[in-house]
């Protein structure tokens, strides 16, 4: 459920383009005007606005925004201007080839549905002229690479059906491949995690907990490490409760000295039109504080204003 507050009457892309152009003219940029427009438009409206702006002023709106804005505000606005799959594609490209901080790429791939991943692959190639699989192949390694490529390419059912007997068999295989033996047979983990639907993996996790007295995530953390462990853990948590997973990610981004703004922007922007409403509820339930209040205390200025606009009402 989207948290973005849209105008009651759909705005005209032409009017939005004219208001933005006025905000850019003169000495300095009217940042408040930019925020008041863009933070209250969804992905479809942003796409029409970009088309209209180019048609009217023969200029790419993203390039103009990049020249007018700076810092964290620039980062969040530019990411917001894409559609959901485009946002994921930009994050993946940055993570895999620019920053080489693979946590972001792992999170995106391991938290999306099979349908979202297939569309994402198409958008990635359209935007960057290279296949996502090739960038993963070049910039990741080991079991982490095997899992990402398998999870990206294996067709998986998206229905709610589960098979209890199959779950029980897979649980035994996972236990024998991990906690029961010295060392870990990572191949079994890769096969099982990419070979089943989200519903079936959730059933496997519940069965593991019932059979061995602790959730599968604990076994993953014990038996694996690094990016591979993060990928497996992300999959398990997202098939159980994606909103709770992202609430934890947001808390971690704002915990301690300083704020991980890249992570904060990534989650709020990519989930705002999907399930940020539920993430906010999970955050309040787990941390006894609203996500809006947490973001307000950890950010400032126009950057804070834009994030809070995406978060919507403070409930």
């Amino acid at each position: 459920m989207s948290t973005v507050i849209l105008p009651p009457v759909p705005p005209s892309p032409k009017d939005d383009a004219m208001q933005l152009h006025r905000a850019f003219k003169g000495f300095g940029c009217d940042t408040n005007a930019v925020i008041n427009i863009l933070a209250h438009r969804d992905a479809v409206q942003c796409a029409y606005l970009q088309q209209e702006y180019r048609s009217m002023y023969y200029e790419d709106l993203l390039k103009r925004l990049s020249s007018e804005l700076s810092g964290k505000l620039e980062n969040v606005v530019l990411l917001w201007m894409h559609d959901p799959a485009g946002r994921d594609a930009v994050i993946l490209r940055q993570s895999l080839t620019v920053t080489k901080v693979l946590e972001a790429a792992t999170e995106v791939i391991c938290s999306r549905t099979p349908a979202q991943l297939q569309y994402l692959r198409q958008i990635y190639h359209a935007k960057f002229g290279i296949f996502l699989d090739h960038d993963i192949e070049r910039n990741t390694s080991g079991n982490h690479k095997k899992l990402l490529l398998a999870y990206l390419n294996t067709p998986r059912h998206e229905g709610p059906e589960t098979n209890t007997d199959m779950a029980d068999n897979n649980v035994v295989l996972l236990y024998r491949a991990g906690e029961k033996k010295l060392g870990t047979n990572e191949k079994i983990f890769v096969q099982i995690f990419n070979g089943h639907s989200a519903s079936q993996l959730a059933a496997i996790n519940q069965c593991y907990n019932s059979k061995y007295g602790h959730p599968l995530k604990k076994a993953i953390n014990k038996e694996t490490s690094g990016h591979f462990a993060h990928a497996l853990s992300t999959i398990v948590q997202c098939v159980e409760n994606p909103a709770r997973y992202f609430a934890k990610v947001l808390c971690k981004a704002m915990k301690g000295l300083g704020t991980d703004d890249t992570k904060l922007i990534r989650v709020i922007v990519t989930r705002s039109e999907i399930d940020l409403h539920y993430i906010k509820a999970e955050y309040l339930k787990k941390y006894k504080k609203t996500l809006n209040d947490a973001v307000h205390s950890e950010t400032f200025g126009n950057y804070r204003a834009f994030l809070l606009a995406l978060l919507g009402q403070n409930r």
Side-chain angles (χ1 to χ4, degrees):
M1 182 182 294
S2 177
T3 55
V4 180
I5 300 174
L6 303 178
V9 178
S12 160
K14 183 176 181 179
D15 289 342
D16 280 349
M18 292 173 64
Q19 288 185 53
L20 283 176
H21 190 65
R22 282 197 295 269
F24 298 148
K25 292 181 71 174
F27 183 73
C29 173
D30 185 350
T31 310
N32 288 331
V34 173
I35 294 172
N36 288 336
I37 295 170
L38 299 183
H40 298 284
R41 303 293 185 269
D42 61 21
V44 173
Q45 291 168 332
C46 284
Y48 282 127
L49 170 55
Q50 290 179 68
Q51 294 174 10
E52 191 66 36
Y53 192 91
R54 179 183 288 276
S55 174
M56 293 175 67
Y57 303 110
Y58 305 100
E59 183 179 27
D60 183 86
L61 180 55
L62 294 185
K63 290 182 179 178
R64 186 60 188 264
L65 286 167
S66 182
S67 70
E68 296 288 344
L69 307 176
S70 62
K72 300 165 191 174
L73 178 63
E74 177 188 358
N75 294 338
V76 68
V77 170
L78 291 182
L79 186 60
W80 178 247
M81 293 302 294
H82 297 276
D83 67 357
R87 294 164 191 160
D88 284 348
V90 170
I91 291 166
L92 282 168
R93 182 68 173 174
Q94 285 284 321
S95 175
L96 290 168
T97 67
V98 180
T99 66
K100 303 296 180 78
V101 178
L102 298 179
E103 177 187 357
T106 302
E107 177 185 283
V108 168
I109 291 172
C110 295
S111 64
R112 293 343 185 222
T113 67
Q116 288 171 334
L117 290 174
Q118 292 311 304
Y119 185 53
L120 171 56
R121 292 174 71 201
Q122 298 174 28
I123 296 299
Y124 193 94
H125 185 263
K127 277 186 176 296
F128 305 116
I130 189 169
F131 291 107
L132 175 56
D133 303 58
H134 292 172
D135 272 345
I136 293 172
E137 185 76 36
R138 294 172 183 173
N139 296 289
T140 61
S141 61
N143 291 303
H144 180 233
K145 172 165 64 176
K146 292 176 184 176
L147 180 61
L148 292 186
L149 289 173
Y151 205 72
L152 190 64
N153 288 286
T154 304
R156 290 185 300 282
H157 181 60
E158 295 193 44
E161 302 83 8
T162 60
N163 185 314
T164 305
D165 291 337
M166 184 183 293
D168 189 65
N169 290 336
N170 282 320
V171 160
V172 173
L173 289 174
L174 287 169
Y175 183 72
R176 290 174 178 172
E179 292 187 281
K180 190 177 180 180
K181 70 191 296 285
L182 184 64
T184 305
N185 185 348
E186 292 88 354
K187 184 178 179 181
I188 296 296
F189 280 82
V190 173
Q191 288 176 344
I192 291 175
F193 272 67
N194 80 73
H196 297 287
S197 68
S199 297
Q200 186 65 23
L201 284 174
I204 290 170
N205 185 43
Q206 292 167 8
C207 184
Y208 199 99
N209 197 10
S210 298
K211 202 174 190 70
Y212 300 114
H214 56 264
L216 187 52
K217 181 174 178 286
K218 184 174 180 180
I220 290 167
N221 293 337
K222 179 182 175 183
E223 297 297 324
T224 62
S225 61
H227 295 306
F228 182 54
H230 178 225
L232 293 171
S233 179
T234 300
I235 292 171
V236 166
Q237 292 178 81
C238 286
V239 299
E240 281 286 330
N241 188 333
R244 186 193 305 151
Y245 167 79
F246 284 110
K248 291 178 182 178
V249 173
L250 287 167
C251 180
K252 185 178 178 181
M254 296 182 282
K255 190 175 182 180
L257 186 64
T259 300
D260 188 338
D261 291 290
T262 300
K263 188 178 295 184
L264 193 64
I265 291 170
R266 180 175 78 238
V267 175
I268 291 176
V269 169
T270 60
R271 308 310 294 187
S272 58
E273 293 186 88
I274 299 174
D275 59 357
L276 191 53
H277 180 79
Y278 300 108
I279 294 170
K280 290 170 66 175
E282 286 289 340
Y283 193 95
L284 178 61
K285 179 181 177 182
K286 186 171 181 62
Y287 303 110
K288 313 304 178 188
K289 182 179 184 179
T290 70
L291 181 55
N292 292 57
D293 287 343
V295 170
H296 188 277
S297 66
E298 293 293 328
T299 58
F300 60 91
N302 292 315
Y303 167 56
R304 174 168 66 190
F306 198 91
L307 287 180
L308 290 176
L310 296 186
L311 284 168
Q313 295 179 346
N314 190 10
R315 294 178 178 175

